[in-house]
Amino acid sequence: MNFQNALTLLSCFAGLEFVTASPISSPKKPESQLGQLVHDLGAADFHIREAAMPKILGFGEAALPDLEQVEYGNDPEQSFRARELIQKIELSIAADTDPSIVALVERYLKASTEEKMTLLNVLRQKRAWRQILKLFAREKNAEVISRYQDWVGQVAVIAARECLAKGDTKGAKDFLEMAPADRPGLLALADFHRSQGSWAEEMKSAKLLHGPKALAWQLALNRAGGKLEAARDVAIAGGEVKIAATMAALLGDPLPWLKEKSVGPSRQIYPPYTELAIRHWSGQPLRQEDLEPLVQAIQSNQLVTRQNGISALFLLGQAPLAEAAYAKDLPLEAFNYYESLQRIPEALRCIGLDPEQPDYNGWVAQRFAKMKDKPLDVGQDAKELQELVVLASFLELRGKSDLCDQAFRKPLAAYAERDAKKFLTLIGSLIVGVSVEGGAPYIAMNAASDWAGQDAERWDRVVRESVSEQDAVLDTWNWLAELDPKASYAERFNGLFALFNYHRDPERVADRWMAKCWQEMDRTPANQRGPLLTRLQLLSRIKPDVANSLRIWKQLSESQRSEIPTEIHIQDLAASERWNEAADYFLNEIEQATHAKTEPQPEIHAYAASALRRAGREKEAVQQDRLVDTLALGRDSETIAQGYEYGADFTRSAIWWERGVVLADPSSALFENWLAKYGAVLLEQKKWGKAASVAEIQLQMAAAVNIPVGRA
C-alpha cells in the first residue's frame, strides 16, 4: 500500500468509534453468490465443498472480507478451507494459476532458508512476479530478506516494465507498490509518478504525512522529480547526510560533502587534503604555512606518506611543490607526466638523460648491461626493462625511429645471442609496452627479423613467445603464408602486426592483406566460405574496419549474424551513416523481444530513438522517447544516455546523465563514473560553478587513492 492509499484509509476511519468484536459463533446467512459459496465450504457434501473453492478464488481479494468472517468460526471444515483460500488469495493464486507455481509456493511456505533461495530463483524463471513479491512481503527470515531484498526490488521493476510496455499503468503501479520500501524501491515508484504525470499530486499527499517513512518517500519523490534543493532539505531532516551532501554538491556547493569526509566503502580520505579543500571552498586563500603538512609529507621516510602528499599537492593545484618529489619517487610515471605536458627536457631528466645532449646509445647500453643477469619480469619490478620500453616508445611515437634503431638494434642483437628466451620476452614487452601510450613495435619487428632471418622455427618462436600464444594469432600467421606464398617472413610479420593492430600502420599494410583475403574468398565456392568468413570476422573486430565488417555481414547467414556482438554491427552502421538500417535493426530487436516476452529494456528504445532521429523519422523517434521515459523507473540511466549518444543526441543524453547522478547511490563504486560523465556534461553546458563542485568531489575521491595522480 502506498502513502496515498494509507492516507485515504486513515481518513475513512476518522470520527468512527471502535467496538471490540465479539467472537464469531457462526457465519451470517448468505445474502449473495459469494456468501453462498463461503457457506458451501462447510457443506456436508464433499463435492459441494470442493466446487466452491475455485469459484471463490475467482473473486480474488473481494472474497477476503467474507472469508475472514468464518476464518475462526465453529465449523472446522469451513474454517480450514477459508484459511487456505485467504492464504492463496493473499499470495495472488487464482483458480487458473499454473499448478507448478502453486506447488512451488506451497513448498516455499515450508522450506528451509537455503531452499527458499532456490525456490525464489525457480519462481523467477517461471515469471511468477506476484507470488515472489507476496512471499517476500510475508518473509520473516532475516537472512533471506538481507540476501534477496535488492533482487526482489529488481523483480518488481521487471514486472512493472512488462505492464507498462502493454499500456497497463495500474498493473505497473501495483507491482511497484509491492516492492520493498527501501531506497531503490521508493525511487522506482517515485520515477513512475514522474513519468506518468502524477508526481505533483503524489508530492502533495506525501507532504501531509509525518515520520521517517514519510521523509523517505518525500526524498525519493524530490530526487525523481529533479528537485535538488528540496531533496537536500528533506535529506537533512531525515538524517541522510551523504544524500544531502550529494544534492548540495550537484547544486554547486561541495562543502557539505567535504566536511562529511567519506567517499565510499573501505576507503579513507587523506586528512590534509580535505582540510585544505574546505579552506579553499570557504573563500580562504591557501598560505604557505597551510601547505606545510604536505611539504613535510613529501619529505617523509615512508613511501605511502610521500605518495599521499604528492597526490594531495597535485589535486590542490600545487604542482610545482609536488613535481620534484614525483620525479624522485616514481621517475617513469613522472616521465609520462612531463611528456604529456610537452615538457620534454624535464621528462628526459627523470630517466637520467641530458636534455641538451641526450646520449641515447650510451643510456640504452647501460640498461642492457644491468639486465644481463636479471629476470625479465615486469611484475618483479624489472626497472631497466621498463625504462628501455618507455624510451623506445617515446622515440618511436615522436618519429625518431632512426635514433631508436641506432640505440637499440645492436644491443638487442647481442642480447639475443646471449639468451634467446629473455630476448623474446623483451621483444614482447616492446610490442605491448608498459603504459597507455603503447610500446615500440617497429624496433621490435626489426630486432625480431635480425634474429630470426630465414629460419622458420625461429619465426614460429617469435610469434608464439613474443606476440601471443592465442590460436587466432598463430592461425593467422600460418594463413598469411597460404595467402601469399611469395611473401617473406618479415613481410608476413609486418602483416600480422598490422592486422592485429600492434602498430599504427601508416603504410596501410592491413588493407593490402585484407585485399588478398577477399581474393581468396572470391576463389572459394560459396558453400565452403564459412572458415574464411570466421577469420575475416575476427580480423575486422580486432582492428575496427567498418567497410570490411559490413561487407562480411552481407555474406553471413542469420545464424552466423546472431553470433556477432550487437555493439559491433550497430557501430558499423553508425560509422557508415546508415541510419535507416540502424533504426530498423533496433525496431526489429524490440519486436523480437516483445514476441519472446523478455524484459523490456529502456536503453534499446533510446538507441532506436537516436537512430530514427538521425534518419529523419522524428515521429517514430518521439514514440521511442516516450517508452524510454516510461520504462526507466529510476534505473538504467547510464545505458539510456549511451543510447542517445549513439546517434549523437547529446542534448537528451545529458538529461539522462544528470538524472542518473541525482538518483545514484553516492556510496556505490559506480558513483565516480557518474560524476565523471556528469562533470563533462556541465562543462559542455558551461555551468562552471556546478562543474567545479562536481570536480571537487572527484578530486577528494582521488585523494583517497594512495598513488600519485599526475595532472588532475
Side-chain angles (χ1 to χ4, degrees):
M1 179 183 297
N2 72 351
F3 289 99
Q4 174 63 43
N5 292 340
L7 188 66
T8 303
L9 185 60
L10 288 171
S11 66
C12 291
F13 287 138
L16 295 181
E17 294 182 7
F18 288 87
V19 181
T20 304
S22 302
I24 298 174
S25 56
S26 60
K28 295 180 181 179
K29 182 178 179 180
E31 297 177 355
S32 64
Q33 180 188 5
L34 176 59
Q36 180 61 53
L37 289 169
V38 172
H39 183 267
D40 288 347
L41 294 176
D45 189 325
F46 170 79
H47 297 291
I48 293 176
R49 298 198 299 271
E50 283 292 297
M53 297 282 283
K55 293 178 182 177
I56 293 173
L57 280 178
F59 283 88
E61 292 186 359
L64 288 176
D66 289 66
L67 291 169
E68 287 166 354
Q69 285 188 16
V70 301
E71 183 180 4
Y72 297 105
N74 293 333
D75 186 330
E77 181 70 23
Q78 188 184 46
S79 296
F80 173 79
R81 288 178 179 270
R83 288 195 295 274
E84 182 181 340
L85 286 167
I86 288 170
Q87 180 170 274
K88 285 185 175 181
I89 291 170
E90 288 179 343
L91 292 172
S92 294
I93 292 175
D96 59 350
T97 299
D98 183 342
S100 66
I101 292 176
V102 177
L104 287 167
V105 169
E106 291 174 347
R107 281 179 59 192
Y108 183 93
L109 295 171
K110 303 173 185 177
S112 65
T113 299
E114 289 303 321
E115 190 180 6
K116 281 182 176 181
M117 294 171 181
T118 300
L119 291 170
L120 283 172
N121 281 295
V122 177
L123 284 166
R124 177 167 181 165
Q125 292 170 13
K126 291 185 172 291
R127 310 172 71 76
W129 311 133
R130 288 189 179 276
Q131 287 72 34
I132 291 173
L133 292 164
K134 294 283 190 178
L135 285 169
F136 194 78
R138 296 161 56 107
E139 185 58 64
K140 305 297 182 187
N141 187 309
E143 184 181 351
V144 174
I145 292 172
S146 174
R147 189 183 296 189
Y148 270 81
Q149 183 156 305
D150 291 344
W151 183 89
V152 170
Q154 293 171 12
V155 164
V157 170
I158 294 171
R161 283 175 171 173
E162 289 185 352
C163 290
L164 290 168
K166 295 183 290 188
D168 180 8
T169 55
K170 182 183 182 304
K173 183 182 176 186
D174 288 343
F175 278 121
L176 293 171
E177 289 179 345
M178 284 191 281
D182 55 7
R183 189 182 292 166
L186 292 176
L187 284 173
L189 182 58
D191 201 45
F192 168 84
H193 284 294
R194 177 199 61 77
S195 66
Q196 295 300 316
S198 52
W199 184 92
E201 181 183 353
E202 196 66 27
M203 177 57 81
K204 183 178 179 180
S205 299
K207 287 181 178 178
L208 298 175
L209 303 172
H210 302 284
K213 292 183 178 179
L215 288 174
W217 180 226
Q218 290 173 29
L219 177 58
L221 284 167
N222 278 309
R223 291 173 74 188
K227 309 297 183 182
L228 302 192
E229 291 185 11
R232 177 199 59 200
D233 296 342
V234 173
I236 292 171
E240 292 276 10
V241 179
K242 181 157 277 190
I243 297 293
T246 303
M247 297 301 108
L250 296 178
L251 286 164
D253 178 13
L255 276 172
W257 179 281
L258 290 169
K259 291 175 181 177
E260 206 266 324
K261 298 180 182 178
S262 177
V263 295
S266 303
R267 299 177 66 182
Q268 295 181 348
I269 283 295
Y270 187 52
Y273 170 80
T274 299
E275 292 163 9
L276 292 171
I278 289 172
R279 181 179 178 85
H280 171 74
W281 278 93
S282 299
Q284 303 175 51
L286 297 183
R287 302 164 302 183
Q288 186 61 41
E289 55 264 37
D290 297 324
L291 298 171
E292 189 58 32
L294 296 179
V295 173
Q296 293 178 6
I298 63 176
Q299 296 170 354
S300 168
N301 293 327
Q302 299 295 320
L303 177 62
V304 170
T305 302
R306 293 200 304 274
Q307 292 183 355
N308 276 327
I310 292 168
S311 292
L313 286 168
F314 271 124
L315 295 171
L316 289 165
Q318 303 294 323
L321 286 173
E323 287 172 348
Y326 195 17
K328 180 180 178 182
D329 269 352
L330 296 164
L332 289 181
E333 286 84 346
F335 176 91
N336 289 329
Y337 162 73
Y338 283 120
E339 186 191 5
S340 69
L341 296 174
Q342 297 301 309
R343 292 162 61 180
I344 304 306
E346 291 153 296
L348 293 176
R349 286 193 193 97
C350 286
I351 57 173
L353 278 163
D354 180 356
E356 298 298 326
Q357 293 181 322
D359 180 9
Y360 297 121
N361 293 3
W363 187 93
V364 170
Q366 287 178 358
R367 270 66 189 170
F368 271 104
K370 289 180 180 179
M371 287 197 312
K372 183 177 179 181
D373 299 316
K374 281 191 175 184
L376 288 186
D377 186 347
V378 174
Q380 294 182 17
D381 195 25
K383 178 185 174 184
E384 291 78 17
L385 168 63
Q386 294 183 43
E387 288 180 332
L388 285 168
V389 174
V390 164
L391 181 64
S393 176
F394 166 78
L395 292 172
E396 283 201 1
L397 283 170
R398 294 190 167 269
K400 300 178 183 293
S401 296
D402 291 343
L403 288 175
C404 188
D405 212 53
Q406 291 170 18
F408 280 87
R409 201 155 180 174
K410 287 184 179 179
L412 280 168
Y415 198 72
E417 292 305 314
R418 286 200 301 270
D419 191 323
K421 186 170 182 60
K422 286 184 180 181
F423 166 75
L424 293 172
T425 300
L426 176 52
I427 292 299
S429 297
L430 287 168
I431 292 170
V432 299
V434 294
S435 68
V436 293
E437 287 81 9
Y442 294 103
I443 188 59
M445 285 194 299
N446 290 339
S449 296
D450 290 344
W451 179 71
Q454 297 301 311
D455 188 324
E457 186 176 331
R458 282 193 173 190
W459 275 109
D460 285 342
R461 283 193 66 187
V462 168
V463 173
R464 190 180 300 277
E465 298 179 41
S466 297
V467 182
S468 175
E469 288 188 296
Q470 293 182 1
D471 290 342
V473 173
L474 300 174
D475 180 59
T476 302
W477 169 248
N478 293 323
W479 184 38
L480 296 184
E482 297 175 16
L483 288 174
D484 187 355
K486 296 181 180 179
S488 68
Y489 288 113
E491 288 172 330
R492 282 167 57 198
F493 198 53
N494 193 12
L496 188 72
F497 267 48
L499 292 169
F500 279 83
N501 215 24
Y502 284 120
H503 63 41
R504 290 163 290 283
D505 194 19
E507 297 176 353
R508 306 186 72 84
V509 173
D511 289 349
R512 295 201 295 272
W513 281 100
M514 287 300 288
K516 296 178 188 295
C517 294
W518 284 109
Q519 290 170 7
E520 178 69 14
M521 181 77 73
D522 293 339
R523 291 192 294 268
T524 304
N527 61 353
Q528 298 176 24
R529 291 178 178 176
L532 283 173
L533 285 169
T534 301
R535 282 173 169 165
L536 286 172
Q537 273 182 257
L538 173 68
L539 295 175
S540 67
R541 290 182 200 174
I542 292 171
K543 183 171 185 174
D545 182 341
V546 173
N548 279 311
S549 186
L550 290 172
R551 187 176 176 184
I552 293 164
W553 179 267
K554 286 183 179 180
Q555 301 205 31
L556 295 175
S557 65
E558 284 299 322
S559 61
Q560 289 172 317
R561 289 177 178 180
S562 65
E563 296 175 2
I564 297 177
T566 300
E567 60 271 16
I568 292 175
H569 184 57
I570 63 174
Q571 291 301 336
D572 288 343
L573 292 174
S576 57
E577 298 283 332
R578 291 159 65 168
W579 293 110
N580 268 310
E581 288 180 58
D584 290 340
Y585 177 88
F586 291 119
L587 293 175
N588 181 59
E589 290 290 303
I590 292 168
E591 185 179 356
Q592 288 185 18
T594 302
H595 289 317
K597 296 183 178 180
T598 57
E599 177 192 352
Q601 300 289 340
E603 63 266 25
I604 195 169
H605 297 283
Y607 278 96
S610 65
L612 285 163
R613 200 162 267 115
R614 291 299 298 274
R617 296 156 66 177
E618 181 64 25
K619 289 184 179 179
E620 293 175 85
V622 170
Q623 293 175 350
Q624 297 300 318
D625 292 334
R626 290 182 187 137
L627 285 167
V628 172
D629 199 46
T630 300
L631 295 173
L633 299 178
R635 297 175 183 241
D636 301 318
S637 297
E638 179 177 10
T639 49
I640 291 170
Q642 291 168 348
Y644 281 114
E645 286 179 352
Y646 170 75
D649 190 345
F650 298 114
T651 300
R652 286 179 176 80
S653 72
I655 293 170
W656 286 97
W657 284 123
E658 180 177 12
R659 190 169 292 169
V661 79
V662 170
L663 299 182
D665 179 357
S667 298
S668 72
L670 296 175
F671 188 61
E672 291 179 61
N673 296 336
W674 280 109
L675 286 174
K677 289 289 187 179
Y678 184 53
V681 168
L682 290 171
L683 289 172
E684 185 69 25
Q685 295 173 343
K686 299 183 180 180
K687 296 179 179 178
W688 309 120
K690 291 182 179 180
S693 179
V694 167
E696 183 56 64
I697 301 178
Q698 294 176 269
L699 293 176
Q700 196 212 31
M701 288 179 166
V705 182
N706 292 329
I707 56 171
V709 296
R711 279 188 302 165

